Amino acid sequence: MNKNYNSKLAIFIFAFPTLLLFTAFVVYPIIPELIISFQNNDGFKNMGYVGFDNYRSVLTSATFWKSNANTLIIVAISTFVGLPISLLLALLMDRQVEGIRRFFKLSSVFPAVLSVTVIGQMWIAIYEPQWGVINSLLRSIGLDNLALEWLSDKRTVVVAIAIAFLWQYIGLNALLFYTGIKSIPKTYYEAATIDGASFLKTSIKITIPLLQDVTKYLLVLSVLGCMSQFAHVRIMTAGGPGDASRTVIYQLYYTAFSASDYGQGCAIAILFVIECLILTLIINKFVAREKIEF
Amino acid sequence: MKQKVINSIIKITLVIIGLTFLFPLYWMVNLSFKSKSEVYDNPFGLPKEWVFSNYGDALEKFNFLRYLSNSVIYSIGTIIITILLGSMFAYCVSRMNWRFKNTALTYVSLGLIIPVQVVIIPLLIMVKNMGLKDTHLGLILPYSAFALSSCILMLYAFFRTLPKELEEAACIDGCNIYQTFFKVILPTIKPAIATQFALIFMNTYNEFFLAFILAANDNIRPLPVGLLNFFVSIGVSHWGQIGAAMVITSIPTVLVYLFGNEQIENALTAGAILK
C-alpha cells in the first residue's frame, strides 16, 4: 500500500494541477501588479518607469483618503453595530422554541443568498426621496425636515450604503454565531442553571467568552468583506454624488478602468494589501489570545 | 409572569426581524405587478390594479435566458474544477508521503487572505494575454483558483477523520491509487462534497465584482451584471419591469435555497466550525 502513497508520479498528478492554477491566478498576479505600480501604464503599454511617482500621487490625492475614510466607516458600522446585533439575535434565538428558530434560520439567510443587484436596487427604493419607505415614514410622523435625499446627499450616502450592506449579512452572521453557540458543550451551563444564573449573566460569563473563535473568524471575515466593498457602491450610487461614496476598491476600479491609469491603480492595490494586513494583525493581537479546547 | 411577558416580546421581535429578511421577496413580487404610475402613488402596498404585462415586457428587453445560462455555466464549471482539483490535492496532502506537503498546504491557504479585488488589474491583463477574454473560461479559471483554498482546507479536515482501513481494503483488492481515489474515496466523502457544491454555487452564482470587470461583453455576462445593465438601460422610469426582472432573476436562487437550505446552511456555517 505504501508503494502507492510514495509514487512520485501519483503525487505529481494529484497535486500539480491545483498548485499550477492557484499560483497562476492568485499568487503570481502580485508580481506584475508590483511591477506595473512603478510604471506609467495606460493598460495598453508601459510608457516608462516612474519610481515611486504613482504612490506619491495616490498618497497625496484627496479622493484616495476620502475613499479610505468611507471604507473605514463601512468597516466600523458593520463591526461595531452589525456584529453585536448578530450576536444578540443568536443568543435570543438559542432560547426560543424550535418553530421560531427554524423560521428565523430559514429567513435570515435570504438577504445573503439573493443577488446583490436585487438587494442594492431594493435599498435604492427604500431610500428614494419622494416615495421611499424611510421618507414616507418620516413624513407621516411629521419629521418632514429629516426626509433627506439619502443617496444623493454627501453627508448621508456612506452611512446609507453601510446600513444596506450591514442588513444583508446580519442574519447570516447571526446564524454563524448560533452555530458557534450550539457547539458549546451543555456541561458548561449545568452549574449556571443550578446557581440560577440569569440569561444575561450566563451569556456574558459563559457563552460570549466561549465564542472567541467564532467571533474572531467573523471579525476577520466582516472586516475583509467590508474593506473590499464594491458591489453595493457600484449598484446604489456608482460612487456618487461626485466621488462622495467611493470605497478604496471603487477608487481602484475608477483609477484603472475609467481614468485608464493602471500604474496608479496597481499602487492603490498594493497600499490596500498593506492596510488589510495591518487590520488582520490588529484583530489577531486583540482577539482570541488563548486557544479554547472543549 | 414577568418572565413570560419578556419571552413573548423576544419571540415577537425575532419574528418581526425574520420577516424583514423576507421583505425583499414581498417587495419585488409586489412591484412586478404594478403599473408605471402606481409605483409612485402606492410604492409598498399591494397593487390596486394587477398588471401582468410587466413580465412580458421585461423578458423582451432583458435577455434572461442568456444571462441565466451564463451564470449556470460559470457555477457548474467552477464547481467541477474546484471540487475535482481540490479533493485530489487535499487527499494528496493528507495521505501521500512527500516532503513539502505541509508547505504546500500552507501555501494554498494563502488564498484565504488575498481578496480577489486586489489582483483584478493583473488578472484582467492576464486573461487578455491568454486569449481568454470574452470566453467563459476567462471567468471560470479565476473563480476556481480563488475557491480552491477553502475547499481544500475543508476537505483536508474531512480526510483526516477518515479511517485508513477503506483504502487498505481497496489496495488488497488490487486497486491502484487512482481507482482507490475515484471509486472508493470520492463516494465516501459525498457529504463534504455536497457542502462544497452548495457553497461554491452560492458564491459563484451571485459573484459580482470579477464578472462586472472581466465579462465586458454582453454575451458572457452572468445574471447579477446583466440585471444591473438592464436597470441602467431602463432607468428608474419603469419600476414594474424592474420588479419583474428581479423576480425572474431570483426564482432560480430561491428554488435552490428552498430545496437545499439545510445543505446551504451547513456550507455557510462550515467555515465557522472549521478552526
Side-chain angles (χ1 to χ4, degrees):
Chain A
M1 162 141 167
N2 267 335
K3 187 187 80 200
N4 269 338
Y5 290 90
N6 288 327
S7 152
K8 291 262 184 318
L9 179 68
I11 291 169
F12 180 80
I13 290 175
F14 275 76
F16 184 70
T18 294
L19 290 176
L20 179 69
L21 185 67
F22 182 75
T23 308
F25 287 96
V26 182
V27 181
Y28 166 75
I30 297 184
I31 298 169
E33 181 142 77
L34 264 172
I35 297 173
I36 297 172
S37 75
F38 292 106
Q39 292 175 348
N40 179 4
N41 189 318
D42 64 355
F44 293 99
K45 61 178 201 295
N46 167 21
M47 292 170 289
Y49 285 85
V50 292
F52 281 92
D53 276 8
N54 287 326
Y55 289 92
R56 207 166 294 138
S57 322
V58 169
L59 287 171
T60 52
S61 124
T63 320
F64 175 73
W65 289 107
K66 172 89 184 127
S67 73
N68 266 291
N70 290 342
T71 309
L72 287 179
I73 291 175
I74 297 177
V75 171
I77 291 180
S78 287
T79 310
F80 297 117
V81 181
L83 286 184
I85 296 178
S86 297
L87 176 61
L88 182 67
L89 287 174
L91 288 169
L92 294 178
M93 187 162 96
D94 186 40
R95 290 298 184 93
Q96 290 306 317
V97 290
E98 185 57 27
I100 292 192
R101 195 154 57 215
R102 273 222 57 76
F103 166 72
F104 196 81
K105 273 169 89 172
L106 193 72
S107 66
S108 61
V109 187
F110 254 106
V113 297
L114 285 176
S115 163
V116 55
T117 320
V118 171
I119 300 294
Q121 197 69 15
M122 182 186 84
W123 281 92
I124 293 180
I126 291 176
Y127 287 128
E128 215 286 332
Q130 307 306 320
W131 46 266
V133 184
I134 294 183
N135 282 2
S136 305
L137 273 176
L138 286 171
R139 289 201 188 94
S140 70
I141 54 172
L143 295 170
D144 291 51
N145 53 341
L146 277 184
L148 302 169
E149 299 200 2
W150 303 100
L151 291 177
S152 21
D153 190 319
K154 279 184 180 170
R155 291 166 300 171
T156 55
V157 61
V158 178
V159 176
I161 292 172
I163 288 173
F165 187 64
L166 174 150
W167 175 83
Q168 191 175 359
Y169 293 104
I170 220 165
L172 176 60
N173 289 341
L175 193 64
L176 293 170
F177 271 125
Y178 176 71
T179 317
I181 294 177
K182 280 284 98 174
S183 70
I184 298 174
K186 287 283 158 287
T187 47
Y188 281 85
Y189 293 100
E190 275 159 16
T193 320
I194 294 166
D195 292 345
S198 67
F199 166 67
L200 191 69
K201 209 161 183 185
T202 331
S203 300
I204 293 174
K205 295 269 183 199
I206 302 177
T207 316
I208 295 173
L210 289 175
L211 280 178
Q212 251 185 28
D213 285 338
V214 180
T215 311
K216 184 177 165 188
Y217 170 80
L218 282 179
L219 257 177
V220 174
L221 207 70
S222 152
V223 167
L224 287 185
C226 296
M227 282 299 287
S228 32
Q229 173 53 256
F230 173 84
H232 293 73
V233 175
R234 177 66 192 79
I235 293 160
M236 290 170 69
T237 62
D243 54 14
S245 64
R246 283 188 199 165
T247 54
V248 178
I249 295 298
Y250 196 93
Q251 178 67 10
L252 184 161
Y253 154 82
Y254 182 86
T255 311
F257 304 122
S258 297
S260 295
D261 192 333
Y262 277 42
Q264 281 195 31
C266 285
I268 295 178
I270 299 288
L271 293 169
F272 178 77
V273 173
I274 297 170
E275 289 172 47
C276 287
L277 279 179
I278 294 174
L279 282 175
T280 318
L281 286 178
I282 293 177
I283 296 171
N284 275 321
K285 194 161 166 53
F286 286 101
V287 191
R289 271 159 296 187
E290 53 205 289
K291 186 95 187 125
I292 298 170
E293 298 283 348
F294 294 134
Chain B
M1 185 60 206
K2 196 180 147 210
Q3 200 60 41
K4 258 190 179 163
V5 174
I6 294 179
N7 207 2
S8 317
I9 293 175
I10 291 176
K11 226 172 251 179
I12 294 166
T13 319
L14 279 179
V15 171
I16 291 175
I17 294 176
L19 286 175
T20 65
F21 291 139
L22 297 178
F23 179 73
L25 297 180
Y26 161 80
W27 173 72
M28 62 187 167
V29 171
N30 181 13
L31 195 63
S32 70
F33 291 112
K34 279 183 180 160
S35 68
K36 205 171 169 176
S37 57
E38 199 189 332
V39 173
Y40 303 98
D41 309 328
N42 171 27
F44 295 96
L46 284 172
K48 289 191 192 82
E49 177 198 352
W50 292 71
V51 182
F52 292 92
S53 61
N54 285 338
Y55 282 88
D57 295 344
L59 278 176
E60 223 165 77
K61 295 174 211 159
F62 176 56
N63 203 336
F64 170 69
L65 282 180
R66 184 202 282 157
Y67 297 135
L68 176 70
S69 64
N70 285 336
S71 283
V72 171
I73 291 173
Y74 292 135
S75 309
I76 300 297
T78 307
I79 286 170
I80 293 175
I81 294 183
T82 312
I83 292 184
L84 179 69
L85 298 190
S87 62
M88 287 169 75
F89 185 85
Y91 184 68
C92 180
V93 171
S94 67
R95 286 293 202 271
M96 298 184 186
N97 311 311
W98 47 304
R99 222 165 118 202
F100 299 108
K101 60 181 186 181
N102 290 327
T103 322
L105 189 67
T106 315
Y107 173 69
V108 171
S109 54
L110 269 180
L112 291 181
I113 51 163
I114 304 180
V116 61
Q117 283 84 350
V118 165
V119 291
I120 184 65
I121 297 171
L123 216 50
L124 178 68
I125 298 175
M126 278 170 61
V127 168
K128 264 187 200 159
N129 290 344
M130 292 163 105
L132 294 175
K133 197 159 181 348
D134 298 337
T135 67
H136 289 107
L137 215 51
L139 263 179
I140 292 176
L141 290 180
Y143 278 159
S144 308
F146 275 90
L148 272 171
S149 303
S150 68
C151 175
I152 287 169
L153 288 180
M154 196 197 134
L155 293 180
Y156 175 74
F158 204 86
F159 278 131
R160 291 216 314 187
T161 62
L162 212 65
K164 287 214 169 101
E165 279 78 22
L166 266 174
E167 290 138 280
E168 278 160 14
C171 186
I172 291 164
D173 287 348
C175 286
N176 66 27
I177 190 153
Y178 310 103
Q179 288 165 329
T180 312
F181 180 72
F182 286 103
K183 289 190 180 152
V184 180
I185 300 300
L186 274 190
T188 339
I189 59 162
K190 247 188 212 150
I193 290 186
T195 305
Q196 275 302 315
F197 189 104
L199 185 65
I200 302 171
F201 176 81
M202 280 296 157
N203 285 345
T204 316
Y205 193 81
N206 285 333
E207 205 282 334
F208 184 85
F209 181 77
L210 267 188
F212 179 75
I213 289 171
L214 293 184
N217 188 324
D218 198 51
N219 286 321
I220 62 158
R221 278 188 185 134
L223 274 171
V225 182
L227 190 63
L228 178 66
N229 270 50
F230 173 72
F231 294 160
V232 173
S233 72
I234 202 172
V236 283
S237 60
H238 206 314
W239 280 85
Q241 288 181 21
I242 289 180
M246 287 194 292
V247 172
I248 304 168
T249 310
S250 304
I251 287 172
T253 333
V254 172
L255 285 180
V256 168
Y257 181 61
L258 285 181
F259 287 111
N261 70 75
E262 234 158 90
Q263 206 53 256
I264 290 165
E265 264 168 35
N266 285 344
L268 293 173
T269 51
I273 316 165
L274 190 96
K275 289 167 199 162

